[in-house]
Amino acid sequence: DPALLDGIEVFNGNPRQMSSNPTALAFAREHSLLGVAGGDVHQFVDVRPDALLVPKSLLTPKGIIEFLRTRPASWAGFDL
């Protein structure tokens, strides 16, 4: 139920797992959900220089959700 979600991963940066990115992005758009990215690091070869910089005071699950919701990215031009 999308109403139970704070957001959804719309970009999985692992090259072996990227096949569902377009489906997830379409679902997020359809349900007006916050889209987030994940690295999905399971092996050393998966490590990439991606990061989300969040103020230390917001390093809790609720704080990160607040941080992401108050800094919305535009979907314009974002296609997978």
Side-chain angles (χ1 to χ4, degrees), residues 58-78:
L58 296 176
L59 286 179
T60 65
K62 286 183 180 182
I64 292 171
I65 290 167
E66 175 189 338
F67 178 81
L68 292 171
R69 283 195 173 148
T70 59
R71 289 152 185 82
S74 169
W75 290 116
F78 186 79

PDB file of all heavy atoms in Angstrom, residues 58-78:
ATOM      1  N   LEU A  58      20.270  15.253  12.235  1.00  0.00           N
ATOM      2  CA  LEU A  58      19.162  14.546  11.588  1.00  0.00           C
ATOM      3  C   LEU A  58      19.481  13.081  11.298  1.00  0.00           C
ATOM      4  O   LEU A  58      18.758  12.433  10.554  1.00  0.00           O
ATOM      5  CB  LEU A  58      18.778  15.256  10.282  1.00  0.00           C
ATOM      6  CG  LEU A  58      18.241  16.674  10.433  1.00  0.00           C
ATOM      7  CD1 LEU A  58      17.982  17.293   9.077  1.00  0.00           C
ATOM      8  CD2 LEU A  58      16.977  16.695  11.279  1.00  0.00           C
ATOM      9  N   LEU A  59      20.528  12.542  11.885  1.00  0.00           N
ATOM     10  CA  LEU A  59      20.922  11.159  11.599  1.00  0.00           C
ATOM     11  C   LEU A  59      20.109  10.147  12.401  1.00  0.00           C
ATOM     12  O   LEU A  59      20.614   9.378  13.210  1.00  0.00           O
ATOM     13  CB  LEU A  59      22.420  10.957  11.846  1.00  0.00           C
ATOM     14  CG  LEU A  59      23.317  11.587  10.787  1.00  0.00           C
ATOM     15  CD1 LEU A  59      24.784  11.355  11.130  1.00  0.00           C
ATOM     16  CD2 LEU A  59      23.006  11.025   9.407  1.00  0.00           C
ATOM     17  N   THR A  60      18.823  10.173  12.158  1.00  0.00           N
ATOM     18  CA  THR A  60      17.879   9.180  12.670  1.00  0.00           C
ATOM     19  C   THR A  60      16.961   8.860  11.504  1.00  0.00           C
ATOM     20  O   THR A  60      16.880   9.640  10.539  1.00  0.00           O
ATOM     21  CB  THR A  60      17.034   9.741  13.830  1.00  0.00           C
ATOM     22  OG1 THR A  60      16.201  10.801  13.332  1.00  0.00           O
ATOM     23  CG2 THR A  60      17.908  10.241  14.980  1.00  0.00           C
ATOM     24  N   PRO A  61      16.266   7.733  11.532  1.00  0.00           N
ATOM     25  CA  PRO A  61      15.345   7.460  10.414  1.00  0.00           C
ATOM     26  C   PRO A  61      14.352   8.601  10.178  1.00  0.00           C
ATOM     27  O   PRO A  61      14.157   9.029   9.046  1.00  0.00           O
ATOM     28  CB  PRO A  61      14.648   6.169  10.845  1.00  0.00           C
ATOM     29  CG  PRO A  61      15.685   5.467  11.678  1.00  0.00           C
ATOM     30  CD  PRO A  61      16.355   6.579  12.453  1.00  0.00           C
ATOM     31  N   LYS A  62      13.738   9.112  11.227  1.00  0.00           N
ATOM     32  CA  LYS A  62      12.783  10.215  11.055  1.00  0.00           C
ATOM     33  C   LYS A  62      13.475  11.483  10.566  1.00  0.00           C
ATOM     34  O   LYS A  62      12.932  12.224   9.762  1.00  0.00           O
ATOM     35  CB  LYS A  62      12.047  10.488  12.365  1.00  0.00           C
ATOM     36  CG  LYS A  62      11.019   9.434  12.696  1.00  0.00           C
ATOM     37  CD  LYS A  62      10.262   9.774  13.963  1.00  0.00           C
ATOM     38  CE  LYS A  62       9.244   8.686  14.254  1.00  0.00           C
ATOM     39  NZ  LYS A  62       8.446   8.983  15.455  1.00  0.00           N
ATOM     40  N   GLY A  63      14.687  11.739  11.056  1.00  0.00           N
ATOM     41  CA  GLY A  63      15.430  12.922  10.637  1.00  0.00           C
ATOM     42  C   GLY A  63      15.798  12.886   9.170  1.00  0.00           C
ATOM     43  O   GLY A  63      15.710  13.900   8.476  1.00  0.00           O
ATOM     44  N   ILE A  64      16.221  11.728   8.700  1.00  0.00           N
ATOM     45  CA  ILE A  64      16.583  11.595   7.288  1.00  0.00           C
ATOM     46  C   ILE A  64      15.352  11.766   6.404  1.00  0.00           C
ATOM     47  O   ILE A  64      15.403  12.435   5.371  1.00  0.00           O
ATOM     48  CB  ILE A  64      17.298  10.256   7.023  1.00  0.00           C
ATOM     49  CG1 ILE A  64      18.672  10.284   7.711  1.00  0.00           C
ATOM     50  CG2 ILE A  64      17.438   9.987   5.527  1.00  0.00           C
ATOM     51  CD1 ILE A  64      19.395   8.962   7.716  1.00  0.00           C
ATOM     52  N   ILE A  65      14.219  11.206   6.820  1.00  0.00           N
ATOM     53  CA  ILE A  65      12.979  11.380   6.060  1.00  0.00           C
ATOM     54  C   ILE A  65      12.617  12.861   6.011  1.00  0.00           C
ATOM     55  O   ILE A  65      12.269  13.397   4.960  1.00  0.00           O
ATOM     56  CB  ILE A  65      11.835  10.545   6.664  1.00  0.00           C
ATOM     57  CG1 ILE A  65      12.111   9.059   6.427  1.00  0.00           C
ATOM     58  CG2 ILE A  65      10.487  10.951   6.071  1.00  0.00           C
ATOM     59  CD1 ILE A  65      11.234   8.134   7.226  1.00  0.00           C
ATOM     60  N   GLU A  66      12.722  13.550   7.147  1.00  0.00           N
ATOM     61  CA  GLU A  66      12.443  14.992   7.183  1.00  0.00           C
ATOM     62  C   GLU A  66      13.384  15.748   6.241  1.00  0.00           C
ATOM     63  O   GLU A  66      12.960  16.612   5.472  1.00  0.00           O
ATOM     64  CB  GLU A  66      12.625  15.515   8.602  1.00  0.00           C
ATOM     65  CG  GLU A  66      12.482  17.024   8.723  1.00  0.00           C
ATOM     66  CD  GLU A  66      12.892  17.542  10.095  1.00  0.00           C
ATOM     67  OE1 GLU A  66      12.888  16.781  11.067  1.00  0.00           O
ATOM     68  OE2 GLU A  66      13.234  18.738  10.161  1.00  0.00           O
ATOM     69  N   PHE A  67      14.662  15.405   6.284  1.00  0.00           N
ATOM     70  CA  PHE A  67      15.655  16.043   5.426  1.00  0.00           C
ATOM     71  C   PHE A  67      15.302  15.865   3.950  1.00  0.00           C
ATOM     72  O   PHE A  67      15.323  16.818   3.174  1.00  0.00           O
ATOM     73  CB  PHE A  67      17.032  15.449   5.720  1.00  0.00           C
ATOM     74  CG  PHE A  67      18.137  16.003   4.862  1.00  0.00           C
ATOM     75  CD1 PHE A  67      18.731  17.220   5.176  1.00  0.00           C
ATOM     76  CD2 PHE A  67      18.593  15.302   3.763  1.00  0.00           C
ATOM     77  CE1 PHE A  67      19.755  17.725   4.384  1.00  0.00           C
ATOM     78  CE2 PHE A  67      19.621  15.805   2.976  1.00  0.00           C
ATOM     79  CZ  PHE A  67      20.201  17.016   3.290  1.00  0.00           C
ATOM     80  N   LEU A  68      14.966  14.654   3.561  1.00  0.00           N
ATOM     81  CA  LEU A  68      14.643  14.387   2.160  1.00  0.00           C
ATOM     82  C   LEU A  68      13.341  15.058   1.739  1.00  0.00           C
ATOM     83  O   LEU A  68      13.241  15.568   0.630  1.00  0.00           O
ATOM     84  CB  LEU A  68      14.558  12.874   1.918  1.00  0.00           C
ATOM     85  CG  LEU A  68      15.875  12.121   2.040  1.00  0.00           C
ATOM     86  CD1 LEU A  68      15.639  10.619   2.003  1.00  0.00           C
ATOM     87  CD2 LEU A  68      16.843  12.538   0.955  1.00  0.00           C
ATOM     88  N   ARG A  69      12.355  15.067   2.598  1.00  0.00           N
ATOM     89  CA  ARG A  69      11.066  15.674   2.252  1.00  0.00           C
ATOM     90  C   ARG A  69      11.139  17.189   2.126  1.00  0.00           C
ATOM     91  O   ARG A  69      10.377  17.782   1.378  1.00  0.00           O
ATOM     92  CB  ARG A  69      10.022  15.301   3.292  1.00  0.00           C
ATOM     93  CG  ARG A  69       9.516  13.898   3.112  1.00  0.00           C
ATOM     94  CD  ARG A  69       8.263  13.690   3.901  1.00  0.00           C
ATOM     95  NE  ARG A  69       7.702  12.388   3.575  1.00  0.00           N
ATOM     96  CZ  ARG A  69       7.030  11.648   4.408  1.00  0.00           C
ATOM     97  NH1 ARG A  69       6.802  12.060   5.633  1.00  0.00           N
ATOM     98  NH2 ARG A  69       6.558  10.484   4.027  1.00  0.00           N
ATOM     99  N   THR A  70      12.038  17.815   2.857  1.00  0.00           N
ATOM    100  CA  THR A  70      12.116  19.275   2.801  1.00  0.00           C
ATOM    101  C   THR A  70      13.049  19.756   1.700  1.00  0.00           C
ATOM    102  O   THR A  70      13.194  20.944   1.498  1.00  0.00           O
ATOM    103  CB  THR A  70      12.562  19.865   4.151  1.00  0.00           C
ATOM    104  OG1 THR A  70      13.835  19.333   4.501  1.00  0.00           O
ATOM    105  CG2 THR A  70      11.553  19.576   5.237  1.00  0.00           C
ATOM    106  N   ARG A  71      13.694  18.845   1.008  1.00  0.00           N
ATOM    107  CA  ARG A  71      14.579  19.189  -0.107  1.00  0.00           C
ATOM    108  C   ARG A  71      14.205  18.342  -1.321  1.00  0.00           C
ATOM    109  O   ARG A  71      14.983  17.517  -1.775  1.00  0.00           O
ATOM    110  CB  ARG A  71      16.035  18.957   0.273  1.00  0.00           C
ATOM    111  CG  ARG A  71      16.522  19.964   1.272  1.00  0.00           C
ATOM    112  CD  ARG A  71      17.631  19.388   2.114  1.00  0.00           C
ATOM    113  NE  ARG A  71      18.033  20.296   3.163  1.00  0.00           N
ATOM    114  CZ  ARG A  71      17.391  20.411   4.321  1.00  0.00           C
ATOM    115  NH1 ARG A  71      16.340  19.694   4.571  1.00  0.00           N
ATOM    116  NH2 ARG A  71      17.812  21.251   5.234  1.00  0.00           N
ATOM    117  N   PRO A  72      12.983  18.510  -1.828  1.00  0.00           N
ATOM    118  CA  PRO A  72      12.539  17.642  -2.927  1.00  0.00           C
ATOM    119  C   PRO A  72      13.305  17.895  -4.222  1.00  0.00           C
ATOM    120  O   PRO A  72      13.586  19.032  -4.565  1.00  0.00           O
ATOM    121  CB  PRO A  72      11.066  17.995  -3.104  1.00  0.00           C
ATOM    122  CG  PRO A  72      10.965  19.392  -2.585  1.00  0.00           C
ATOM    123  CD  PRO A  72      11.993  19.501  -1.475  1.00  0.00           C
ATOM    124  N   ALA A  73      13.641  16.827  -4.873  1.00  0.00           N
ATOM    125  CA  ALA A  73      14.277  16.918  -6.191  1.00  0.00           C
ATOM    126  C   ALA A  73      13.172  16.914  -7.247  1.00  0.00           C
ATOM    127  O   ALA A  73      12.136  16.303  -7.077  1.00  0.00           O
ATOM    128  CB  ALA A  73      15.210  15.728  -6.393  1.00  0.00           C
ATOM    129  N   SER A  74      13.418  17.582  -8.312  1.00  0.00           N
ATOM    130  CA  SER A  74      12.460  17.602  -9.396  1.00  0.00           C
ATOM    131  C   SER A  74      12.566  16.310 -10.199  1.00  0.00           C
ATOM    132  O   SER A  74      13.648  15.799 -10.440  1.00  0.00           O
ATOM    133  CB  SER A  74      12.746  18.789 -10.306  1.00  0.00           C
ATOM    134  OG  SER A  74      11.995  18.688 -11.482  1.00  0.00           O
ATOM    135  N   TRP A  75      11.431  15.786 -10.605  1.00  0.00           N
ATOM    136  CA  TRP A  75      11.439  14.606 -11.478  1.00  0.00           C
ATOM    137  C   TRP A  75      11.767  15.005 -12.914  1.00  0.00           C
ATOM    138  O   TRP A  75      12.037  14.175 -13.743  1.00  0.00           O
ATOM    139  CB  TRP A  75      10.067  13.922 -11.483  1.00  0.00           C
ATOM    140  CG  TRP A  75       9.715  13.252 -10.203  1.00  0.00           C
ATOM    141  CD1 TRP A  75       8.670  13.596  -9.380  1.00  0.00           C
ATOM    142  CD2 TRP A  75      10.344  12.133  -9.595  1.00  0.00           C
ATOM    143  NE1 TRP A  75       8.637  12.760  -8.298  1.00  0.00           N
ATOM    144  CE2 TRP A  75       9.661  11.846  -8.421  1.00  0.00           C
ATOM    145  CE3 TRP A  75      11.433  11.341  -9.933  1.00  0.00           C
ATOM    146  CZ2 TRP A  75      10.022  10.791  -7.573  1.00  0.00           C
ATOM    147  CZ3 TRP A  75      11.794  10.307  -9.091  1.00  0.00           C
ATOM    148  CH2 TRP A  75      11.085  10.040  -7.939  1.00  0.00           C
ATOM    149  N   ALA A  76      11.706  16.297 -13.203  1.00  0.00           N
ATOM    150  CA  ALA A  76      11.938  16.773 -14.568  1.00  0.00           C
ATOM    151  C   ALA A  76      13.304  16.306 -15.077  1.00  0.00           C
ATOM    152  O   ALA A  76      14.318  16.519 -14.447  1.00  0.00           O
ATOM    153  CB  ALA A  76      11.854  18.290 -14.621  1.00  0.00           C
ATOM    154  N   GLY A  77      13.291  15.668 -16.188  1.00  0.00           N
ATOM    155  CA  GLY A  77      14.523  15.229 -16.802  1.00  0.00           C
ATOM    156  C   GLY A  77      15.149  13.996 -16.176  1.00  0.00           C
ATOM    157  O   GLY A  77      16.224  13.584 -16.563  1.00  0.00           O
ATOM    158  N   PHE A  78      14.458  13.385 -15.206  1.00  0.00           N
ATOM    159  CA  PHE A  78      15.009  12.212 -14.539  1.00  0.00           C
ATOM    160  C   PHE A  78      14.368  10.971 -15.111  1.00  0.00           C
ATOM    161  O   PHE A  78      13.229  10.655 -14.826  1.00  0.00           O
ATOM    162  CB  PHE A  78      14.746  12.288 -13.027  1.00  0.00           C
ATOM    163  CG  PHE A  78      15.404  11.185 -12.252  1.00  0.00           C
ATOM    164  CD1 PHE A  78      16.749  11.253 -11.958  1.00  0.00           C
ATOM    165  CD2 PHE A  78      14.670  10.095 -11.819  1.00  0.00           C
ATOM    166  CE1 PHE A  78      17.376  10.239 -11.239  1.00  0.00           C
ATOM    167  CE2 PHE A  78      15.272   9.090 -11.105  1.00  0.00           C
ATOM    168  CZ  PHE A  78      16.634   9.155 -10.800  1.00  0.00           C
TER     169      PHE A  78
END
